[in-house]
Amino acid sequence: MLLFFTLGLLIHFVFFASIFDIYFTSPLVHGMTPQFTPLPPPARRLVLFVADGLRADTLYELDENGTSRAPFIRNIIMHEGSWGISHTRVPTESRPGHVALIAGFYEDVSAVAKGWKENPVEFDSLFNESKYTWSWGSPDILPMFAKGASGDHVYTYSYDAKREDFGAQDATKLDTWVFDNVKDFFRHARNNQSLFSKINEEKIVFFLHLLGIDTNGHAHRPSSRDYKDNIKKVDDGVKEIVSMFNHFYGNDGKTTFIFTSDHGMTDWGSHGAGHPSETLTPLVTWGAGINYPQRVSAQQFDDSFLKEWRLENWKRLDVNQADIAPLMTSLIGVPFPLNSVGILPVDYLNNTDLFKAESMFTNAVQILEQFKVKMTQKKEVTLPFLFTPFKLLSDSKQFNILRKARSYIKHRKFDEVVSLCKELIHLALKGLSYYHTYDRFFLGINVVIGFVGWISYASLLIIKSHSNLIKGVSKEVKKPSHLLPCSFVAIGILVAFFLLIQACPWTYYVYGLLPVPIWYAVLREFQVVQDLVTSLLTYPLSHFVGYLLVFTLGIEVLVLSFFYRYMLTAGLTAFAVWPFLTRLWTRAKVTSLSWAFFSVLLAVFPLMPVVGRKPDISLVMGAGLLVLLLSLCVVTSLMKRKDSFRKEELLVHLLQVLSTVLSMYVVYSTQSSLLRKQGLPLMNQIISWATLASSLFVPLLSSPAVFQRLFSILLSLMSTYLLLSTGYEAVFPLVLSCLMFVWINIEQETLQQSGVCCKQKLTSIQFSYNTDITQFRQLYLDDIRRAFFLVFFLVTAFFGTGNIASINSFDLASVYCFLTVFSPFMMGALMMWKILIPFVLVMCAFEAVQLTTQLSSKSLFLIVLVISDIMALHFFFLVKDYGSWLDIGTSISHYVIVMSMTIFLVFLNGLAQLLTTKKLRLCGKPKSHFM
């Protein structure tokens, strides 16, 4: 069985990884020829300001007094330049945003494995094509463009990463550092002849990365005064830098300025998904080669922003984020980045019609080059009779469009050239997408076949080894045929040969060959399938259909809860009513009422506000007080039973109570310190990490009795959870644990009611590592309900704490008791542990349910895996790469979350067994405990 779970874990890792191979592979191709406009550019130099994390609405809107937060930028919009909204794509993170801006393509999600800092693939960029680039800002962003550049013409100036602290100082100092260093750089250049000559060359770029707004947004949220004041500081800094440039270069009119952002930010200070607050960023351009403001009487957009921002009379020019790269390259006359998929926004250009037409033609040829390389690569690795070319852009059509465009330029029909080139670009981009997703159907089919095979095999294993469903149906044991293994070996060889002659990546072999052994294992159990069908035919059809409908309804409720959190409320309400529809109410009134009360109480949490709420430390303090009150009651109760409560166990409980008190103090103290902008106190940080480290081994010092061990686990994990809480979610694990304790009792009652076994006193049952396997029973139909309850409680454990099914569901303020200096992996790990704590509580309770109902943990856990996998398969079909970026990001997030939950279940099952069965002693040797 251990081998089965190991293989199951590996298979689930493959299914999890498949989503990235199918939907998130690198779009880059190599081997193209650089393309540039063969006319003199309007600018000699370009200054790029990127205000990290700046939302379009917060910059453009007027404040409560009717004045702009960025008066200099607004003056540019009205009197000097062009403006609009830059639409970003998922994932809305700093690295992909900067890659889109500077390299012109949308990066795949594989870069997240490098923390968005290193280059997972090499790519060309504006900086690489420039003669010289100087950049100032964050050490997280600048190195990736310098490292990928050919030669040593990209210079970076970064502050220490420790400055990126969400609590220790005013984050505007990050931007002040950039502005001051740029000024010092130009002062130094006047006395350095070599540097002076370099910055007077043409085709040069100055890049100012401004991280303060993003840092203040994470620390204080975009609605805060800190975030909005930072915008004013940036506006003042930009004004000073522009004045300095104009003065340094003698107002030669050869400098272009571009002000934009890499991504926006949600109301609760996170980003990564596709909400409009994350994907709508500002774009303001002015200087050499840029159109002056255009007054208009009316504009047609699908939003009401113009009226809200009082900019309805100034022409708004929206672009996709990748379009900014070709705009910048055309302005300073460098080749378009080789992998750019941006479309030159000619409406921003103030130049001759010939320049616009030639630039657009160059843009079209540059993207067409990528299409040709992509098509050639795919054609070379596909069998001729299987290759289906992109029919909308044949070789003859490419030639005709390019010939016609050249003819139009010759006859000075420039508008026709622009429209024709745009048509060619759109066809080439469609073709690029076509070849990029060429194998998607093949991969998807293989994953689905593997998924269905795995679910079928797990179901057959449950029926064969853990149930009485087919016992006595068939006494005849057929000798296995050699035809079946030979057939599957032949199929495997054929699949491998097919992939080999097409030079497919190694991952294709995994997806193509994985279903072969899985379905071989399924068909080996053909006799079980026959016996199952025979057994089911003896059941009344109405009963079978009824059970199937109830099971399907339960799965659909779980799936819908990812879209509508209130479905969990509906489910928990149904749970509350359940005992009153059975004989449980007559047998155990107190237990039934307790179940109903805590189910209804837990049902309130999915209706509470999601992440984005304001921190409310009083609720965290209240949760801590409830834990202390519950501890007092439990310890008093246990002390009355002198025979089962030793001084050692009392010491453990007192230690855990002290830990809870310290956690409450740290939360309150840290919040006060951060509000005063004094940073995270070192002592608080030490206590927080010590509490986290001790939370997993202190419960092992407690008694292995079911109630005492579960209570000890709750106390230890609650201490950590309080440190990671910012509001009402601090109360959630407490209510969840109360319901879990009642669940253990009520499952005992249901088992006694069905006459399967006699009821044992809960106080007499102990967790044991060496459980007597002769006490295990076979599975019954009611055990499917128990497994469904577990999955439902796990889903509730995720959504009940205010999370949403999105990768931007997390509030960085949760980790401020542990660290405030930006560290994506450490912060991500802490937030992941916060999510897992309620899961651990549920899994520990599940261990007790299995123990008290005399079930093998493996048998019930198999049903849980089957239910989870059916949900995962459901979400696999719902993944899409079309529609709004919010829909795309959400669909992918759903699959990732449910697959992660399934994989974590295997680990959590092991962790729960460790926490419940192991026993440590403060002194002396550990004793063995048996039931």
Side-chain angles (χ1 to χ4, degrees):
M1 187 58 75
L2 179 62
L3 178 63
F4 171 81
F5 277 110
T6 304
L7 290 174
L9 194 60
L10 290 173
I11 289 169
H12 280 86
F13 270 119
V14 171
F15 292 155
F16 178 81
S18 69
I19 197 70
F20 300 105
D21 254 337
I22 296 172
Y23 290 95
F24 285 118
T25 51
S26 175
L28 300 189
V29 289
H30 300 284
M32 291 80 67
T33 306
Q35 305 289 328
F36 60 91
T37 307
L39 293 174
R44 291 176 59 86
R45 68 201 70 90
L46 181 137
V47 183
L48 173 62
F49 300 95
V50 177
D52 203 305
L54 176 59
R55 290 165 49 148
D57 57 349
T58 317
L59 176 73
Y60 291 140
E61 70 187 4
L62 303 179
D63 62 19
E64 54 275 7
N65 299 320
T67 58
S68 174
R69 297 188 184 94
F72 176 74
I73 295 294
R74 194 170 183 92
N75 181 69
I76 294 292
I77 292 171
M78 293 180 170
H79 300 103
E80 293 187 41
S82 298
W83 76 285
I85 290 176
S86 169
H87 297 264
T88 70
R89 287 192 182 182
V90 174
T92 46
E93 296 288 349
S94 290
R95 180 196 163 95
H98 281 87
V99 169
L101 283 169
I102 298 164
F105 71 91
Y106 300 104
E107 193 171 35
D108 64 288
V109 81
S110 65
V112 75
K114 304 260 182 131
W116 307 119
K117 295 180 183 180
E118 296 294 332
N119 295 344
V121 287
E122 293 304 318
F123 59 87
D124 192 21
S125 71
L126 166 72
F127 296 172
N128 189 44
E129 296 292 354
S130 69
K131 193 161 189 178
Y132 296 106
T133 292
W134 290 271
S135 55
W136 295 264
S138 168
D140 298 331
I141 298 298
L142 305 188
M144 66 183 179
F145 293 104
K147 186 177 179 180
S150 57
D152 57 354
H153 63 284
V154 179
Y155 304 99
T156 62
Y157 303 91
S158 303
Y159 39 74
D160 186 13
K162 291 181 180 178
R163 282 177 170 262
E164 298 176 18
D165 193 329
F166 297 132
Q169 62 176 339
D170 181 5
T172 58
K173 291 181 180 178
L174 298 176
D175 299 335
T176 304
W177 185 96
V178 171
F179 294 133
D180 290 344
N181 275 265
V182 173
K183 294 172 192 174
D184 291 342
F185 173 83
F186 276 89
R187 278 195 291 268
H188 176 64
R190 291 185 183 278
N191 303 315
N192 185 321
Q193 188 57 44
S194 173
L195 180 58
F196 186 82
S197 62
K198 284 182 179 179
I199 63 176
N200 277 283
E201 296 272 6
E202 60 181 13
K203 305 183 191 315
I204 61 173
V205 178
F206 299 93
F207 171 44
L208 283 71
H209 176 245
L210 309 168
L211 188 63
I213 293 174
D214 184 74
T215 306
N216 269 318
H218 285 309
H220 307 290
R221 292 173 169 75
S223 59
S224 66
R225 177 54 54 193
D226 302 83
Y227 184 88
K228 293 172 182 177
D229 285 347
N230 203 153
I231 295 174
K232 178 68 171 70
K233 290 278 182 69
V234 165
D235 184 69
D236 292 338
V238 170
K239 182 179 179 180
E240 292 176 11
I241 295 297
V242 170
S243 176
M244 183 202 68
F245 265 89
N246 290 335
H247 181 261
F248 187 89
Y249 289 106
N251 292 300
D252 63 354
K254 291 294 183 180
T255 308
T256 301
F257 299 94
I258 292 183
F259 180 89
T260 187
S261 175
D262 54 348
H263 56 75
M265 189 171 286
T266 61
D267 291 337
W268 54 90
S270 69
H271 51 81
H275 191 273
S277 62
E278 301 165 87
T279 59
L280 302 183
T281 58
L283 173 62
V284 182
T285 63
W286 68 101
I290 296 295
N291 254 333
Y292 289 103
Q294 302 172 58
R295 296 295 296 265
V296 291
S297 56
Q299 302 185 68
Q300 296 297 321
F301 286 96
D302 294 332
D303 53 60
S304 58
F305 294 143
L306 287 169
K307 190 174 181 181
E308 294 172 11
W309 301 337
R310 300 184 192 176
L311 290 170
E312 53 265 59
N313 295 325
W314 282 267
K315 189 172 183 180
R316 169 180 149 190
L317 303 169
D318 284 11
V319 299
N320 290 320
Q321 193 172 48
D323 299 342
I324 298 173
L327 174 64
M328 293 190 293
T329 56
S330 65
L331 287 166
I332 58 173
V334 298
F336 285 60
L338 293 174
N339 298 110
S340 171
V341 295
I343 304 173
L344 177 65
V346 290
D347 289 340
Y348 273 86
L349 295 176
N350 179 18
N351 212 315
T352 63
D353 289 339
L354 174 61
F355 181 85
K356 293 178 183 178
E358 285 286 3
S359 297
M360 204 71 210
F361 184 81
T362 304
N363 192 187
V365 171
Q366 171 258 325
I367 292 177
L368 185 62
E369 281 279 311
Q370 294 181 70
F371 168 79
K372 288 179 179 179
V373 172
K374 194 81 170 178
M375 181 180 69
T376 303
Q377 288 179 353
K378 185 52 63 179
K379 195 172 183 178
E380 287 175 350
V381 296
T382 306
L383 295 173
F385 64 90
L386 291 177
F387 181 72
T388 307
F390 182 64
K391 296 177 182 178
L392 295 178
L393 194 57
S394 61
D395 291 343
S396 59
K397 186 161 187 176
Q398 296 173 35
F399 177 77
N400 288 335
I401 292 177
L402 291 174
R403 181 180 55 79
K404 192 182 289 186
R406 268 291 157 213
S407 175
Y408 282 152
I409 291 175
K410 187 176 180 180
H411 292 90
R412 305 186 66 79
K413 296 180 179 180
F414 300 124
D415 289 341
E416 287 84 347
V417 175
V418 170
S419 61
L420 193 62
C421 289
K422 283 184 177 179
E423 179 191 346
L424 178 58
I425 287 172
H426 285 298
L427 287 173
L429 289 176
K430 279 186 179 179
L432 271 173
S433 177
Y434 173 79
Y435 288 118
H436 185 58
T437 60
Y438 193 84
D439 298 326
R440 183 172 293 178
F441 181 75
F442 167 75
L443 294 174
I445 285 292
N446 277 283
V447 170
V448 169
I449 292 172
F451 238 129
V452 173
W454 166 257
I455 293 171
S456 302
Y457 180 66
S459 301
L460 290 174
L461 191 64
I462 293 167
I463 293 164
K464 178 184 177 182
S465 305
H466 300 283
S467 75
N468 293 315
L469 197 58
I470 60 170
K471 293 288 190 289
V473 174
S474 175
K475 300 294 183 183
E476 183 183 355
V477 179
K478 295 183 179 179
K479 189 177 180 180
S481 169
H482 293 293
L483 180 62
L484 186 66
C486 291
S487 300
F488 273 90
V489 168
I491 291 170
I493 292 172
L494 284 173
V495 171
F497 181 72
F498 174 76
L499 295 172
L500 182 66
I501 59 178
Q502 296 197 102
C504 292
W506 68 269
T507 51
Y508 282 40
Y509 289 86
V510 176
Y511 303 133
L513 293 173
L514 184 63
V516 177
I518 292 176
W519 277 101
Y520 169 67
V522 171
L523 293 181
R524 276 189 63 189
E525 306 297 340
F526 184 71
Q527 185 63 50
V528 178
V529 177
Q530 284 185 316
D531 294 346
L532 175 63
V533 172
T534 305
S535 178
L536 290 177
L537 288 174
T538 63
Y539 284 85
L541 182 62
S542 59
H543 286 193
F544 175 74
V545 172
Y547 288 135
L548 188 62
L549 285 174
V550 170
F551 181 77
T552 305
L553 178 64
I555 295 290
E556 288 304 311
V557 168
L558 288 171
V559 170
L560 285 171
S561 67
F562 279 70
F563 299 92
Y564 313 104
R565 293 169 73 239
Y566 59 77
M567 292 303 297
L568 295 172
T569 300
L572 287 166
T573 305
F575 284 7
V577 177
W578 164 63
F580 303 100
L581 303 177
T582 65
R583 286 180 293 171
L584 279 172
W585 167 243
T586 57
R587 293 180 58 89
K589 286 188 168 69
V590 174
T591 304
S592 298
L593 287 172
S594 301
W595 169 265
F597 173 74
F598 286 113
S599 294
V600 171
L601 194 58
L602 195 67
V604 173
F605 284 90
L607 300 177
M608 300 289 278
V610 295
V611 285
R613 58 195 178 270
K614 291 183 179 179
D616 191 343
I617 299 304
S618 61
L619 290 174
V620 182
M621 294 295 105
L625 290 173
L626 286 174
V627 172
L628 294 177
L629 182 62
L630 182 63
S631 303
L632 180 64
C633 295
V634 170
V635 171
T636 304
S637 172
L638 291 173
M639 287 181 69
K640 290 179 181 178
R641 301 205 310 270
K642 295 179 182 178
D643 59 324
S644 62
F645 197 66
R646 294 186 293 271
K647 288 182 179 180
E648 179 187 321
E649 291 162 12
L650 176 62
L651 182 62
V652 171
H653 284 302
L654 289 177
L655 182 65
Q656 292 175 316
V657 168
L658 176 62
S659 179
T660 303
V661 173
L662 283 174
S663 295
M664 292 171 65
Y665 164 76
V666 168
V667 170
Y668 182 80
S669 171
T670 301
Q671 176 73 3
S672 301
S673 179
L674 293 179
L675 286 175
R676 295 192 301 269
K677 293 189 177 180
Q678 295 177 351
L680 171 61
L682 179 60
M683 184 54 66
N684 289 11
Q685 193 172 20
I686 292 171
I687 293 172
S688 297
W689 284 106
T691 302
L692 174 63
S694 65
S695 62
L696 290 178
F697 75 83
V698 171
L700 306 183
L701 298 170
S702 64
S703 166
V706 166
F707 175 72
Q708 289 171 239
R709 177 56 64 91
L710 290 178
F711 181 69
S712 180
I713 292 169
L714 171 64
L715 282 185
S716 281
L717 295 181
M718 272 302 296
S719 297
T720 304
Y721 201 83
L722 289 173
L723 294 170
L724 291 166
S725 297
T726 60
Y728 73 81
E729 79 271 21
V731 187
F732 178 82
L734 203 55
V735 177
L736 179 67
S737 296
C738 290
L739 181 61
M740 292 299 97
F741 178 71
V742 180
W743 184 32
I744 297 166
N745 282 273
I746 208 165
E747 289 298 355
Q748 268 197 307
E749 295 291 345
T750 57
L751 206 63
Q752 187 183 12
Q753 176 185 306
S754 61
V756 175
C757 65
C758 298
K759 181 181 177 182
Q760 292 179 280
K761 283 188 177 181
L762 199 59
T763 53
S764 67
I765 301 176
Q766 291 187 332
F767 287 112
S768 172
Y769 189 72
N770 301 307
T771 310
D772 184 1
I773 61 172
T774 59
Q775 295 186 2
F776 292 154
R777 61 176 177 81
Q778 293 293 301
L779 290 169
Y780 291 92
L781 194 61
D782 201 38
D783 292 318
I784 297 177
R785 174 194 56 76
R786 291 185 177 93
F788 176 78
F789 273 21
L790 173 67
V791 177
F792 195 94
F793 288 138
L794 289 171
V795 174
T796 305
F798 180 79
F799 291 107
T801 54
N803 295 312
I804 56 176
S806 172
I807 57 176
N808 71 359
S809 174
F810 315 113
D811 185 356
L812 287 180
S814 300
V815 304
Y816 288 170
C817 288
F818 293 87
L819 75 164
T820 54
V821 176
F822 181 63
S823 174
F825 287 122
M826 187 61 72
M827 288 178 164
L830 286 168
M831 288 187 284
M832 184 59 69
W833 182 236
K834 179 184 178 181
I835 291 171
L836 291 179
I837 284 175
F839 282 49
V840 173
L841 293 173
V842 173
M843 290 303 295
C844 288
F846 184 57
E847 283 293 312
V849 168
Q850 292 173 130
L851 188 64
T852 57
T853 56
Q854 297 181 1
L855 264 175
S856 162
S857 61
K858 298 178 181 65
S859 59
L860 207 52
F861 192 69
L862 277 173
I863 303 176
V864 171
L865 280 181
V866 168
I867 294 172
S868 300
D869 285 335
I870 292 171
M871 287 174 61
L873 185 60
H874 198 131
F875 282 118
F876 184 83
F877 284 113
L878 293 177
V879 171
K880 55 186 179 181
D881 61 346
Y882 58 87
S884 73
W885 283 106
L886 179 60
D887 294 337
I888 295 168
T890 301
S891 69
I892 294 168
S893 296
H894 286 163
Y895 181 75
V896 169
I897 288 168
V898 77
M899 279 305 298
S900 300
M901 189 177 80
T902 307
I903 292 169
F904 275 122
L905 274 179
V906 180
F907 291 108
L908 290 175
N909 190 47
L911 179 60
Q913 286 187 354
L914 177 70
L915 286 173
T916 53
T917 59
K918 287 292 183 180
K919 170 65 177 170
L920 298 178
R921 279 192 173 277
L922 292 175
C923 57
K925 294 182 179 180
K927 289 184 178 179
S928 298
H929 295 273
F930 297 91
M931 283 172 50

